[in-house]
Amino acid sequence: MSVNKPEDGFSEGSMQGAAILNGVIYQFRGSGTANENIPTYDTYNIGTGAWTKGGSLSALAGSHMGSACFGPKVFTTSDGYTHDCTIPFLYITNGCDIQIYDIEHNVLVATWSLPKLDDDAIAAYDFANGKLWSIGYVVKSRKAPYLIRELGGIDFTVLPTTRTVAESEFTSQTPLGGPDANGVQHDLVNGTLQDCQYVGGKIYIATGGGSSAHRTEFCRVHVYDPSSKAITETRMCTGLEETEGFVYDASGDAFYLTTLNSAIWKLSAGTGYDTMNFEPATLVNGYYEINTASKLLWFKQQVYGGKTDIKGKLTSDIDMTGVTDPYSFYVYDYNIALCGKEGVYPSFFAFGGEFDGNSHTISNYAITKTPYYYDGLFPYCIGANIHDLTVRGSIALTKCDAMVLKEGTTNSYEAKSGQPVANVGLVGYMD
């Protein structure tokens, strides 16, 4: 659900992480140009639906924030002062520092330096049990998995004004996602790290959008269990622009995502926080039976969620008039492609199951958005069996973004916009 957003340019700087306090979401922004490179923030009141222009964080000039979370209101610093103030913990990604800030008095209270991770690093906190987790790329090349590092034994009521955390202090360091050196994908699928929240013993990690090697059109929320040190669930949130902030409102038991256009999306808690709610198809004799547009999109949602080998069967004709397919385009994972063989473009969403058209027709299917190559009802297939199916509709060919070889190189790629669209239709690309 998209709710009220401020006017464009409400505050300067790119959106970079969010935090929540007493029903108010604080959307932090990185350095802007009109305000001399000083980070800013705006606030959104969940109860009233109103945005308010916030203030500046003048002591953080030039900072690039990855995530934010409000800590204890009353605490003592190592210089002997007791503080009673509104205090977010801001993870500064370009230095891997945690800046502890007093918003009410615009004062930097403390700085903690963590061992360096690559850009887009984020952090989650368990203030009650004295733990924090730092998440980021292992190395700058971004060809290694994400790493989640756990640090325990923290007394958040007594904060040193400066602290340098050594690598040896982390109680665990777990590869979390992305391809390893051999191109094998781990639990956390593609999408730039955006923000995270510690809720009920689990860490909820929001990924999506961005300009890194892990670019994707989809926001995903990954649930990490610190006990098993594994991702236990991944949910897709389609229809969103690039995710920026991610918070949890305990009073309303709901998650909120902020996106690139400053919109706020409310997601129900638990297992139902998918913004695209389609009618589930019924499984009969190993096939999901599909007789509505909603069930067709639900089927594709399962494929894009990782169930790439499932089987579907049409039990009637389907009219797609006025229906937008959010899964009509192939998500290109640049990082994986570089690790693969030349000419092979792997995808985590490649359909490899069976789709039995059962002599039925999908009509008025329209492809109007072409952000990448290989768009269609089945954008990408590996070993799929699609048969007895007729699809009728329209294709609006526009220019798209594509990964192309850099001039003068044989294996170095770059994103270029305005490329001709190719391979669009019933199946975009087959391997």
Side-chain angles (χ1 to χ4, degrees):
M1 177 184 71
S2 179
V3 295
N4 192 19
K5 67 174 185 176
E7 297 295 326
D8 291 338
F10 192 75
S11 282
E12 295 293 332
S14 62
M15 298 171 68
Q16 297 177 0
I20 187 170
L21 182 67
N22 299 327
V24 176
I25 297 174
Y26 289 68
Q27 176 60 62
F28 294 95
R29 294 177 179 270
S31 303
T33 55
N35 54 6
E36 300 179 351
N37 294 323
I38 297 174
T40 59
Y41 66 93
D42 301 325
T43 61
Y44 175 80
N45 189 301
I46 293 175
T48 64
W51 281 93
T52 301
K53 188 169 184 177
S56 65
L57 308 176
S58 58
L60 297 181
S63 297
H64 177 195
M65 288 164 279
S67 61
C69 185
F70 280 107
K73 184 172 175 60
V74 180
F75 60 94
T76 301
T77 50
S78 54
D79 54 12
Y81 288 95
T82 297
H83 301 261
D84 184 353
C85 57
T86 302
I87 174 173
F89 283 60
L90 306 171
Y91 198 120
I92 310 302
T93 67
N94 53 350
C96 268
D97 294 331
I98 295 175
Q99 306 280 23
I100 302 170
Y101 207 94
D102 176 355
I103 285 184
E104 295 175 35
H105 303 98
N106 201 21
V107 174
L108 177 62
V109 175
T111 298
W112 296 358
S113 297
L114 277 61
K116 179 68 175 175
L117 288 174
D118 198 20
D119 203 8
D120 298 316
I122 55 178
Y125 307 86
D126 177 1
F127 293 108
N129 295 299
K131 295 181 180 180
L132 73 80
W133 293 264
S134 171
I135 311 166
Y137 289 104
V138 179
V139 293
K140 193 173 182 59
S141 69
R142 298 180 179 176
K143 290 185 180 180
Y146 294 118
L147 185 73
I148 184 166
R149 312 178 298 188
E150 181 176 325
L151 180 68
I154 305 171
D155 184 354
F156 284 105
T157 64
V158 181
L159 303 179
T161 54
T162 58
R163 178 177 180 181
T164 299
V165 177
E167 199 80 40
S168 59
E169 292 185 65
F170 291 107
T171 55
S172 67
Q173 301 194 49
T174 307
L176 192 59
D180 59 23
N182 297 316
V184 178
Q185 180 69 18
H186 291 265
D187 294 326
L188 193 62
V189 296
N190 60 332
T192 304
L193 290 166
Q194 297 290 354
D195 206 347
C196 58
Q197 286 280 297
Y198 178 84
V199 180
K202 303 293 178 63
I203 300 173
Y204 293 75
I205 304 168
T207 64
S211 57
S212 76
H214 286 271
R215 184 177 178 84
T216 174
E217 289 292 316
F218 297 138
C219 166
R220 290 171 175 268
V221 178
H222 312 269
V223 184
Y224 175 78
D225 181 359
S227 299
S228 61
K229 295 181 173 54
I231 297 292
T232 59
E233 181 185 3
T234 296
R235 299 286 294 181
M236 185 185 302
C237 305
T238 58
L240 301 182
E241 295 188 46
E242 181 182 342
T243 308
E244 298 294 342
F246 183 61
V247 301
Y248 174 72
D249 177 24
S251 62
D253 192 25
F255 291 96
Y256 288 84
L257 281 165
T258 61
T259 60
L260 190 61
N261 63 0
S262 300
I264 300 270
W265 290 75
K266 180 180 179 181
L267 314 176
S268 59
T271 59
Y273 52 88
D274 196 316
T275 63
M276 302 294 287
N277 296 311
F278 302 116
E279 181 184 7
T282 302
L283 187 63
V284 178
N285 297 325
Y287 290 83
Y288 287 103
E289 295 192 342
I290 300 168
N291 60 358
T292 66
S294 183
K295 289 181 180 180
L296 176 64
L297 296 183
W298 178 89
F299 180 85
K300 295 188 67 175
Q301 185 181 64
Q302 306 312 299
V303 174
Y304 269 71
K307 300 176 182 178
T308 57
D309 59 350
I310 58 176
K311 298 179 179 180
K313 178 187 291 186
L314 293 185
T315 58
S316 69
D317 293 341
I318 294 178
D319 186 353
M320 298 288 287
T321 300
V323 177
T324 299
D325 179 3
Y327 310 105
S328 66
F329 58 87
Y330 160 72
V331 177
Y332 182 96
D333 192 321
Y334 170 49
N335 211 11
I336 293 294
L338 291 183
C339 294
K341 297 178 181 178
E342 186 175 353
V344 177
Y345 304 96
S347 171
F348 305 119
F349 316 111
F351 180 52
E354 180 183 354
F355 194 89
D356 182 0
N358 201 21
S359 300
H360 289 293
T361 297
I362 297 174
S363 60
N364 297 308
Y365 183 78
I367 298 175
T368 59
K369 182 180 182 182
T370 51
Y372 302 104
Y373 293 124
Y374 317 137
D375 297 2
L377 182 65
F378 296 95
Y380 191 88
C381 295
I382 298 178
N385 180 11
I386 303 169
H387 59 91
D388 299 292
L389 172 66
T390 299
V391 177
R392 295 192 178 98
S394 61
I395 298 171
L397 290 177
T398 60
K399 300 293 184 179
C400 70
D401 295 333
M403 302 304 299
V404 298
L405 278 172
K406 289 184 179 179
E407 187 175 352
T409 69
T410 58
N411 62 358
S412 181
Y413 290 78
E414 61 183 344
K416 281 194 174 182
S417 60
Q419 302 300 300
V421 174
N423 301 343
V424 179
L426 170 62
V427 173
Y429 183 81
M430 293 181 292
D431 199 5

